[in-house]
Coordinates of all heavy atoms in Angstrom, one line a residue:
G39 N 78.8 140.5 155.7 CA 79.4 141.1 154.5 C 80.6 140.4 154.0 O 81.2 140.8 153.0
F40 N 81.0 139.3 154.7 CA 82.2 138.6 154.3 C 81.8 137.4 153.4 O 81.9 136.2 153.8 CB 83.0 138.1 155.5 CG 83.4 139.3 156.5 CD1 82.9 139.3 157.8 CD2 84.2 140.3 156.0 CE1 83.2 140.3 158.6 CE2 84.5 141.4 156.9 CZ 84.0 141.4 158.2
S41 N 81.4 137.7 152.2 CA 80.8 136.7 151.3 C 81.8 135.7 150.9 O 81.5 134.5 150.8 CB 80.2 137.4 150.1 OG 81.1 138.2 149.4
K42 N 83.1 136.0 150.7 CA 84.1 135.1 150.3 C 84.3 134.0 151.4 O 84.3 132.8 151.2 CB 85.4 135.8 150.0 CG 86.5 134.9 149.6 CD 87.7 135.7 149.2 CE 88.9 134.9 148.9 NZ 90.1 135.7 148.6
L43 N 84.3 134.5 152.7 CA 84.5 133.6 153.8 C 83.2 132.8 154.0 O 83.3 131.6 154.3 CB 84.8 134.4 155.1 CG 85.4 133.7 156.3 CD1 86.7 133.0 155.9 CD2 85.6 134.8 157.4
G44 N 82.1 133.4 153.8 CA 80.8 132.6 153.8 C 80.8 131.5 152.9 O 80.3 130.4 153.2
R45 N 81.2 131.7 151.6 CA 81.2 130.7 150.6 C 82.2 129.5 151.0 O 81.9 128.4 150.8 CB 81.6 131.2 149.2 CG 80.5 132.0 148.5 CD 80.8 132.3 147.1 NE 82.0 133.1 146.9 CZ 82.0 134.4 147.0 NH1 80.9 135.1 147.3 NH2 83.2 135.1 146.8
K46 N 83.4 129.9 151.6 CA 84.3 128.9 152.0 C 83.7 128.0 153.0 O 83.9 126.8 152.9 CB 85.6 129.6 152.6 CG 86.6 128.7 153.1 CD 87.3 128.0 152.0 CE 88.5 127.2 152.5 NZ 89.1 126.4 151.5
Y47 N 83.0 128.5 154.0 CA 82.5 127.6 155.0 C 81.2 126.9 154.6 O 80.9 125.8 155.0 CB 82.3 128.4 156.3 CG 83.6 128.5 157.0 CD1 84.3 129.7 157.0 CD2 84.2 127.4 157.6 CE1 85.6 129.8 157.6 CE2 85.4 127.5 158.2 CZ 86.1 128.7 158.2 OH 87.4 128.8 158.8
Q48 N 80.5 127.5 153.6 CA 79.4 126.7 153.0 C 80.0 125.5 152.3 O 79.4 124.4 152.4 CB 78.7 127.6 152.0 CG 77.6 126.9 151.2 CD 76.5 126.4 152.1 OE1 76.1 127.1 153.1 NE2 75.9 125.3 151.8
E49 N 81.1 125.6 151.6 CA 81.7 124.5 150.9 C 82.2 123.5 151.9 O 82.1 122.3 151.7 CB 82.9 125.0 150.1 CG 82.6 125.8 148.9 CD 83.7 126.4 148.2 OE1 84.9 126.2 148.6 OE2 83.5 127.2 147.3
H50 N 82.7 123.9 153.1 CA 83.1 123.0 154.1 C 81.9 122.2 154.6 O 82.0 121.0 154.8 CB 83.7 123.8 155.3 CG 85.1 124.1 155.3 ND1 86.1 123.3 154.8 CD2 85.8 125.3 155.7 CE1 87.3 123.9 154.9 NE2 87.1 125.1 155.4
A51 N 80.8 122.9 154.8 CA 79.6 122.2 155.3 C 79.2 121.1 154.3 O 78.9 120.0 154.7 CB 78.5 123.2 155.5
E52 N 79.2 121.4 153.0 CA 78.8 120.4 152.0 C 79.8 119.3 151.9 O 79.4 118.1 151.8 CB 78.7 121.1 150.6 CG 77.5 122.1 150.6 CD 77.6 123.0 149.4 OE1 78.4 122.8 148.5 OE2 76.7 124.0 149.3
E53 N 81.1 119.6 152.0 CA 82.1 118.5 152.0 C 81.9 117.5 153.2 O 81.9 116.3 153.1 CB 83.5 119.1 152.1 CG 84.0 119.7 150.9 CD 85.4 120.4 151.1 OE1 85.8 120.5 152.2 OE2 86.0 120.7 150.1
E54 N 81.6 118.1 154.4 CA 81.5 117.3 155.6 C 80.2 116.4 155.5 O 80.2 115.3 155.9 CB 81.5 118.1 156.8 CG 82.9 118.7 157.0 CD 83.3 119.1 158.4 OE1 82.4 119.6 159.1 OE2 84.4 118.9 158.7

Side-chain angles (χ1 to χ4, degrees):
F40 305 118
S41 56
K42 184 177 175 184
L43 199 56
R45 283 191 302 275
K46 177 70 173 174
Y47 282 103
Q48 176 63 38
E49 291 170 8
H50 275 320
E52 291 168 9
E53 286 175 349
E54 293 202 323

